[in-house]
Amino acid sequence: MTVIECRGLTKDYGRNRALNGLTIKIEENKITGLIGRNGAGKTTLLKIIAGHIKETAGEIKVFSERPFNNLTVSANVIFIHDQMNLPTALNLMEILEAASSFYENWDQALANRLFDYFSFNPLQQYNGLSKGMKSTFHTILGLSARCPLTLLDEPTTGMDAAVRKDFYRALLKDYLAYPRSIIISSHHLNEIEDLLEDILLMKDGKEHLHLPAADFKEWAIGIQGKTGLVHEWTKEREILHTKSMGPDQSYVVVRNDLLEHELQKARATGIDFSPVTPSDLCVYLTSKSKGGIDDVFNKD
Amino acid sequence: MSLTKISLLSTVKKQYRYKLKAYVQVFMTLVFLQLLAILFTLNGVGMAGSSSEWVEVDVHYYSADIVVFFTMMWGFITAILITTKAYRNDDFVFITNRLSSNLSNLLFLLTASIIGGLTALLSTYLIKVIVYFFVGQLTIDSTNVVSAPVELLLGIVAATFYIILFSALGYFVGTLVQIHKAFVVLVPALFFGSLFLGAVSGYEKTVTNILGFIFTEPSILLFIFKIIVVAGMLFSGAFVISNRLEVKQ
């Protein structure tokens, strides 16, 4: 079953276009990583899916319904983000109780165990929590609600490394026990890439690549060697990234469509091939200009 | 995972129960405001006096008028408050759509109005006790529940409906402000403008007639009917204009 389907989805904020004709399809019971640079439109897409904001043009269907102002979508989607407005009058335990009264699949036992594990004080006020603790508390809400579609927008903002690791593990375990569709947006792709089944890379309000994570790892390849040789090798190919590695040494990233005999021939001439990690690949694919930050400082 | 189907009614019920708990500060404000109003009342809401060479008579009137007035203002402000971003976005953490959010707000405001009306009228007795013990002097005339139960009930009903009217007004104004910030200036300008310009341009009759339509209605049933119609219009207006409102952080 298709959980989310968008066609030509566009969203304008005043004169600023946040989404620009996005067309995607997300299948049921998958963990999808939503990756993109700041301002690529990740949060806007999630807000539209959650029904918080209305699309300007195009079409979006969540569970085959339009999400804006839709009770069924709201009942089956939980949207966790770092600017959540939780009631200030309730303490943490009361917030969990309120959530449990709303969500039908809510697992109070899980919520309590996570609550204890991350050593929250039940009587504490939400506003007194630190940034990382707030994020942790949000993720407890997100996991315990067991919604068929869970949207996590930068869920690890402010968390320390230990908590992040725990959270990823908790997410994976709960997902395996209760498979559901999860979309997680994050800047730490290297941390979450093992969780993901699909990667959706966004650029300038559009989908750029939507691939299974396994394919993503082999989508590109890094070539390193003498500059002349490397250039010879890559001149017919689509170059994603180039970097000078010192005198007469170059590193170039290209689409991985080389054949086995080509690889062997190249290795014989002294060229090294290396896999490109998904997080590096995302940086290369979404870079706004050729070259890197180094070029800003190279005036000549 | 299978989809959950949920009815509007059950969502509104859940949200209403949740709001009674989450908006508890509203009632703390009510207690504070009513105590303040009682303090102001202790000076007497009205006074008459006469004196001759030998005798001087001062008559002070005490009533819950100020308390009711303060509670009406409280209803107005509370309604504006729950249309603000902080409160409106609370709903979107959990299950909601704009209609269920508005309906549960309406139920909450009705409940708050009843509590406000009840406590405002019952404050009469607190005022009497305080006057008796601490302000002293002689109490000449005083109604009590046993001698005039119907009057008390009518008072509570009338006060409650006034508060409902004011909270409907507040809810409408608050929602307008959520649509566009310009209404923060426009609404007061319109209100005071109509008062002053009405007086200057000879339309004061119209203005007073509009106010008199509600505030001088002698029949309680007609009064209730008028308020239900006006408040209903204000609430439905607010529902319609907020139905396309986006969640902004």
Side-chain angles (χ1 to χ4, degrees):
Chain A
M1 195 182 88
T2 308
V3 174
I4 301 166
E5 201 177 351
C6 326
R7 223 168 304 137
L9 191 65
T10 301
K11 175 71 191 174
D12 293 337
Y13 292 119
R15 271 183 220 164
N16 191 8
R17 180 152 284 192
L19 286 182
N20 189 8
L22 179 94
T23 303
I24 49 160
K25 217 178 217 188
I26 289 177
E27 297 298 323
E28 195 184 26
N29 295 347
K30 278 192 173 174
I31 303 186
T32 305
L34 189 57
I35 312 296
R37 301 284 289 269
N38 296 330
K42 303 186 296 290
T43 303
T44 306
L45 173 62
L46 293 177
K47 278 185 180 172
I48 292 180
I49 294 173
H52 283 196
I53 57 176
K54 198 161 51 176
E55 68 276 13
T56 310
E59 195 188 1
I60 176 156
K61 290 270 183 312
V62 178
F63 303 118
S64 325
E65 294 188 42
R66 184 169 176 248
F68 189 74
N69 239 348
N70 189 312
L71 213 51
T72 311
V73 171
S74 181
N76 290 291
V77 176
I78 185 157
F79 178 30
I80 300 298
H81 50 102
D82 59 357
Q83 284 168 334
M84 281 174 90
N85 252 302
L86 289 168
T88 44
L90 304 182
N91 63 39
L92 296 181
M93 215 19 138
E94 287 169 332
I95 293 177
L96 290 183
E97 279 162 16
S100 83
S101 75
F102 279 99
Y103 290 104
E104 270 183 22
N105 297 334
W106 179 267
D107 187 340
Q108 185 66 38
L110 175 70
N112 287 339
R113 287 200 304 275
L114 287 169
F115 197 83
D116 289 339
Y117 177 78
F118 290 111
S119 33
F120 282 104
N121 173 4
L123 300 179
Q124 200 177 355
Q125 296 291 312
Y126 172 77
N127 277 354
L129 293 175
S130 75
K131 200 172 176 191
M133 291 287 267
K134 276 184 186 167
S135 294
T136 314
F137 186 70
H138 295 160
T139 56
I140 295 180
L141 285 177
L143 288 182
S144 312
R146 293 246 168 89
C147 282
L149 176 58
T150 305
L151 307 174
L152 302 164
D153 188 14
E154 313 264 357
T156 55
T157 309
M159 287 184 189
D160 61 44
V163 175
R164 282 213 298 273
K165 238 171 122 184
D166 282 344
F167 160 65
Y168 296 135
R169 197 145 179 79
L171 180 71
L172 190 61
K173 280 191 171 266
D174 203 54
Y175 167 74
L176 291 173
Y178 299 91
R180 53 198 194 255
S181 313
I182 297 174
I183 300 181
I184 173 165
S185 91
S186 175
H187 288 301
H188 305 278
L189 181 58
N190 51 343
E191 287 180 9
I192 61 167
E193 66 182 55
D194 298 332
L195 289 173
L196 304 178
E197 281 162 87
D198 274 358
I199 290 178
L200 171 57
L201 182 67
M202 286 182 71
K203 188 182 180 182
D204 304 328
K206 260 192 192 145
E207 77 285 4
H208 195 67
L209 265 187
H210 187 188
L211 287 174
D215 296 356
F216 207 79
K217 282 179 192 156
E218 291 167 4
W219 198 79
I221 193 161
I223 303 174
Q224 189 177 349
K226 288 220 167 66
T227 307
L229 273 174
V230 170
H231 276 300
E232 185 64 28
W233 257 90
T234 53
K235 69 179 178 214
E236 300 282 292
R237 298 173 197 284
E238 184 191 348
I239 295 172
L240 303 171
H241 176 71
T242 20
K243 196 172 152 194
S244 165
M245 304 291 282
D248 204 29
Q249 282 279 318
S250 284
Y251 176 71
V252 177
V253 176
V254 294
R255 272 294 293 270
N256 185 10
D257 47 9
L258 298 125
L259 301 167
E260 190 55 35
H261 70 270
E262 285 181 299
L263 283 174
Q264 278 173 3
K265 222 168 96 189
R267 282 208 187 91
T269 61
I271 291 179
D272 284 333
F273 291 95
S274 54
V276 180
T277 64
S279 59
D280 283 343
L281 177 59
C282 284
V283 173
Y284 302 150
L285 284 176
T286 55
S287 71
K288 294 209 159 65
S289 54
K290 291 277 172 228
I293 188 77
D294 285 348
D295 297 326
V296 175
F297 296 93
N298 288 341
K299 284 179 201 131
D300 42 84
Chain B
M1 202 166 267
S2 62
L3 289 188
T4 322
K5 285 275 172 195
I6 197 160
S7 74
L8 178 68
L9 191 69
S10 74
T11 310
V12 172
K13 256 194 252 169
K14 283 174 188 171
Q15 283 184 320
Y16 170 67
R17 246 178 272 145
Y18 157 75
K19 279 174 186 180
L20 282 184
K21 229 193 276 173
Y23 297 176
V24 71
Q25 279 133 331
V26 160
F27 295 107
M28 301 195 182
T29 316
L30 174 68
V31 172
F32 176 75
L33 273 181
Q34 290 193 338
L35 284 177
L36 196 70
I38 289 171
L39 193 72
F40 288 146
T41 303
L42 294 182
N43 209 19
V45 292
M47 209 179 123
S50 71
S51 59
S52 64
E53 211 173 323
W54 310 102
V55 188
E56 190 180 317
V57 181
D58 276 335
V59 181
H60 291 259
Y61 299 94
Y62 296 97
S63 80
D65 286 1
I66 296 180
V67 183
V68 172
F69 176 73
F70 268 50
T71 312
M72 275 152 59
M73 287 297 110
W74 165 82
F76 182 71
I77 290 161
T78 300
I80 291 184
L81 187 74
I82 69 171
T83 60
T84 57
K85 241 193 282 185
Y87 283 78
R88 217 156 34 81
N89 290 0
D90 269 8
D91 287 354
F92 283 88
V93 172
F94 305 121
I95 299 170
T96 190
N97 64 11
R98 275 112 194 127
L99 182 61
S100 77
S101 170
N102 275 323
L103 285 174
S104 57
N105 279 343
L106 169 65
L107 285 181
F108 174 79
L109 287 176
L110 292 185
T111 313
S113 301
I114 293 171
I115 292 174
L118 202 68
T119 48
L121 258 281
L122 290 182
S123 73
T124 330
Y125 300 101
L126 180 61
I127 293 170
K128 276 180 198 166
V129 170
I130 294 175
V131 169
Y132 179 81
F133 278 113
F134 302 109
V135 185
Q137 288 136 1
L138 186 67
T139 311
I140 294 175
D141 184 24
S142 165
T143 54
N144 59 53
V145 193
V146 185
S147 69
V150 179
E151 276 75 3
L152 179 70
L153 197 69
L154 280 183
I156 291 172
V157 169
T160 301
F161 274 90
Y162 273 128
I163 300 164
I164 289 175
L165 177 71
F166 271 80
S167 54
L169 199 64
Y171 200 74
F172 184 73
V173 171
T175 309
L176 275 184
V177 171
Q178 292 305 312
I179 293 286
H180 203 285
K181 286 277 168 284
F183 285 106
V184 176
V185 183
L186 280 179
V187 172
L190 196 71
F191 176 71
F192 290 109
S194 69
L195 287 187
F196 292 123
L197 281 183
V200 173
S201 58
Y203 280 113
E204 74 256 47
K205 255 282 190 279
T206 320
V207 176
T208 45
N209 280 349
I210 290 172
L211 294 178
F213 175 71
I214 283 169
F215 290 101
T216 56
E217 173 58 52
S219 151
I220 183 86
L221 286 180
L222 215 51
F223 162 78
I224 289 173
F225 177 73
K226 281 178 178 175
I227 292 215
I228 288 176
V229 169
V230 174
M233 272 159 51
L234 287 168
F235 273 119
S236 354
F239 285 16
V240 169
I241 53 180
S242 69
N243 208 33
R244 41 182 285 274
L245 218 53
E246 299 191 330
V247 181
K248 290 182 193 124
Q249 255 72 42

